[in-house]
Amino acid sequence: MTSLHTAGILTPDRPVGHLFELRGWTTGISRIDEMSVSIADVEANLFPEPCPGAPEGTFGWRAVPATWVPAGTQDIVVTGPDERVLNQATVHVGTLPGEEPLWLGELEAPKQGKVTEGHVVYVTGWAMLQGRAPSLIEVMVEGGGTVSARTRLPRKDVPKEFPGFDDAAVSGFEAWVPVDLPYGEERTLSLRVRYRTEGVGEVVSAKRTFTLRNPVADLDDAELADELAGDTARAMARVNIPTDPKHVLVFTHSLGVGGGQLWLQELLSRMVTDHGWQVSLVSETDGPLRADCHELGIPVHVTTHYRNQTVPAYEGHVAELARFAKCSGAGVALVNTLGGFVGADAAKRAGMPTAWVIHESFSLPAFAYQNWGPVKPPAAVWKRWESTLGEVDRLLFVADATREMFLPYSKPERCRTVRYGTPMHKFGGRTRSETRRQARNMLGYSPDDIVLVNIGIAESRKGQAPLISAMERIHKIHPEAKLSIVGLHPSPYGLAMEESVERAGLEKSVNLVPIQPDPLRWLQAADIFVNSSDIESLPRSILEAVCCGIPVAATDVFGAREMIVDGETGWLFETNDVDALTAALLRALGTPATRRREMAKAAHEKLLPWLDPAGYAREYSEILTELSGGVHV
């Protein structure tokens, strides 16, 4: 005869904290291992214990969560020996009066009392505040200032320890804080981290002390660099090749698809077709844009990654590229991106007048750490990096803010801002109603949807994960708001984005679109464009949105303030702050459609003088002509 299995749960009549106990009873069993209780989908620890008020003859138990329980209404499920559900209930978990918000996390680096090398403090860890990734994490380093950390980074380990927390999988954070520390010196520093979410509260970590040590510059390296540089100079003196002042040698980092590469490709196309330049190109890595170069008649030389990890490797690569430059017959050089200093150094050693385009708005220490590690390049190579910035004939920037950052390395008269345009200028700052309707129909949007669009390759610096988090809140207030993020690819960050959308139940509100060679349809369908990056110089996607007549909500990154006037031609918000992002989008969504169109029109009128890419191509042609000693055409 089968025993009848039933269960009762004594649920609390008020909210409980994140660690609590439940009591209940079960019939038809005599041992605790014949049943199980799960709380928030995590199996609880069970103990046999009489249950007050339970029917006579029942088996009493006490359930204790195996780990912290997230805030909110959580399910309780009692299962019998045949894994049949015997009873279900809910419990509301929250912060009790007088309690601080629940903080779970670990500051993994720098370690307390340990020595870290270089002149950048790399701060990393994971954190949840009241069960969710904090809206803002600020890293405060003595001698290095306060930096907003990059948040919502993927973590595979945290969900294993806290399986009931939805944000555990995106609870990672990191920050780079440069410190002015000369070679050969060390300093004991202190660090605090502030975790904050509006409406929840904040937690400030205890002070952590550590030692930052910048290794001694190797004198042998310096001597070797001078010796090898002398060898290169003597080799260059033996090469005597006629040069053409209308021939430019271009050094770039990649022929893949990206913002800096597309900017260069548009520029070279116009310089060849509109201004009669002959172009030769050297690239670190190959990619699909090489075919475009071939169509333009541009010969491409693919070298290795710029070698700057040791003095011999650096000087050897500079010597190779300098010989190539001298033998190219080009009368002037153009170097693309901050990391291309090997090419800039080589061009100058080949005796070529050189213009260097810097898109990146990183300090040198932060750029070096993120690309090459804490103590690379070595001091002698670093010295060449800095001196080359001062030696090139022109430093060119796409934003005034970036120009200001690099002024200390050069002379003001050698530094110039040349803003780029976009082929989308042809749309004249508007999208026709019929075009918009067709694009929305094609993408599955209804006439009542308010469509937000974000375009950029899915990566942490683009801030798409915080944007998804903001949409969780926005959806409750504006269910008509629909977000398309165009640029998904199967990276850890991209996969975490997909999981976040699924966990939040936003599948009908957030559409993750793979990388598109032409994202025009999404721009034509949009009501609001969102730039959520935490580092940029002059986001090309903002220009494209403006050309299509779309108002822009953007992080206040380098260059954004030169395009967008908050409240007049768009909306600006602080980087790496989900609360600020949410507030800005609510402002945008709360703005009537007619006013949004007026703001988009005002943005286009403000940027109109430099939206046509023919303008920046002409300006570059004039700059390079002047440097090469040619005649303006």
Side-chain angles (χ1 to χ4, degrees), residues 271-465:
M271 288 183 63
V272 169
T273 58
D274 298 346
H275 300 281
W277 280 88
Q278 179 183 349
V279 179
S280 299
L281 187 141
V282 177
S283 177
E284 284 187 82
T285 56
D286 202 0
L289 295 182
R290 180 162 54 86
D292 295 344
C293 290
H294 179 73
E295 291 183 5
L296 290 168
I298 298 175
V300 174
H301 174 73
V302 178
T303 183
T304 66
H305 286 289
Y306 294 140
R307 301 191 290 270
N308 55 36
Q309 300 294 297
T310 67
V311 167
Y314 176 81
E315 288 293 335
H317 204 187
V318 169
E320 294 165 13
L321 294 178
R323 288 180 174 87
F324 183 90
K326 195 74 177 275
C327 294
S328 70
V332 64
L334 179 66
V335 181
N336 188 36
T337 76
L338 179 58
F341 68 92
V342 177
D345 194 359
K348 290 308 297 178
R349 296 202 210 180
M352 300 176 70
T354 303
W356 187 356
V357 189
I358 297 177
H359 305 265
E360 299 87 349
S361 296
F362 292 95
S363 67
L364 295 193
F367 183 89
Y369 194 111
Q370 293 181 50
N371 285 275
W372 307 309
V375 291
K376 299 293 182 182
V381 176
W382 190 289
K383 182 179 178 181
R384 287 303 309 154
W385 192 11
E386 291 185 332
S387 63
T388 302
L389 284 166
E391 291 168 5
V392 295
D393 303 272
R394 293 288 185 276
L395 289 178
L396 304 176
F397 307 92
V398 297
D400 287 337
T402 312
R403 175 181 176 274
E404 293 296 318
M405 173 184 265
F406 283 89
L407 272 178
Y409 294 102
S410 186
K411 298 177 180 179
E413 60 270 21
R414 291 185 178 181
C415 299
R416 181 168 168 178
T417 300
V418 183
R419 295 181 175 88
Y420 52 69
T422 167
M424 289 190 182
H425 79 99
K426 63 186 178 184
F427 296 119
R430 64 187 295 252
T431 296
R432 297 182 182 277
S433 298
E434 179 60 21
T435 302
R436 182 173 181 272
R437 185 188 65 78
Q438 291 175 353
R440 290 168 75 95
N441 286 343
M442 185 180 299
L443 298 176
Y445 291 116
S446 76
D448 296 329
D449 290 335
I450 300 180
V451 180
L452 295 85
V453 171
N454 171 279
I455 297 175
I457 295 175
E459 56 180 329
S460 57
R461 77 177 183 91
K462 295 292 186 179
Q464 293 104 335

Side-chain angles (χ1 to χ4, degrees), residues 421-588:
T422 167
M424 289 190 182
H425 79 99
K426 63 186 178 184
F427 296 119
R430 64 187 295 252
T431 296
R432 297 182 182 277
S433 298
E434 179 60 21
T435 302
R436 182 173 181 272
R437 185 188 65 78
Q438 291 175 353
R440 290 168 75 95
N441 286 343
M442 185 180 299
L443 298 176
Y445 291 116
S446 76
D448 296 329
D449 290 335
I450 300 180
V451 180
L452 295 85
V453 171
N454 171 279
I455 297 175
I457 295 175
E459 56 180 329
S460 57
R461 77 177 183 91
K462 295 292 186 179
Q464 293 104 335
L467 180 55
I468 293 170
S469 183
M471 280 299 294
E472 286 189 62
R473 308 185 207 177
I474 288 167
H475 175 68
K476 298 173 184 177
I477 303 171
H478 290 280
E480 74 281 10
K482 304 296 172 63
L483 169 67
S484 283
I485 298 176
V486 182
L488 186 70
H489 62 113
S491 63
Y493 190 80
L495 295 173
M497 287 167 54
E498 292 180 301
E499 293 169 3
S500 293
V501 170
E502 183 178 351
R503 284 195 305 270
L506 292 173
E507 292 93 337
K508 294 182 179 181
S509 298
V510 177
N511 183 28
L512 302 179
V513 183
I515 295 172
Q516 299 293 311
D518 183 6
L520 178 59
R521 278 183 298 169
W522 283 268
L523 289 172
Q524 292 172 334
D527 295 292
I528 299 167
F529 182 82
V530 186
N531 178 75
S532 51
S533 302
D534 63 28
I535 187 74
E536 295 279 6
S537 287
L538 197 77
R540 185 185 182 97
S541 56
I542 290 181
L543 298 182
E544 294 172 343
V546 168
C547 288
C548 292
I550 307 165
V552 175
T555 45
D556 193 6
V557 290
F558 280 80
R561 195 172 287 247
E562 297 166 35
M563 294 187 286
I564 303 299
V565 179
D566 185 56
E568 296 181 18
T569 64
W571 304 269
L572 294 176
F573 53 92
E574 292 302 312
T575 61
N576 294 318
D577 187 339
V578 177
D579 290 335
L581 168 56
T582 304
L585 294 185
L586 289 175
R587 288 171 62 202

Side-chain angles (χ1 to χ4, degrees), residues 608-630:
L608 185 58
W610 44 277
L611 285 175
D612 187 345
Y616 83 82
R618 181 174 57 253
E619 197 165 352
Y620 267 87
S621 180
E622 292 172 354
I623 291 169
L624 295 176
T625 297
E626 179 186 357
L627 292 181
S628 67

Side-chain angles (χ1 to χ4, degrees), residues 55-95:
E56 188 174 347
T58 58
F59 180 83
W61 47 264
R62 175 169 59 95
V64 179
T67 184
W68 301 89
V69 179
T73 301
Q74 305 296 347
D75 292 328
I76 307 166
V77 180
V78 181
T79 305
D82 56 357
E83 297 188 359
R84 183 168 61 91
V85 174
L86 305 182
N87 200 353
Q88 294 179 316
T90 60
V91 59
H92 185 74
V93 180
T95 302

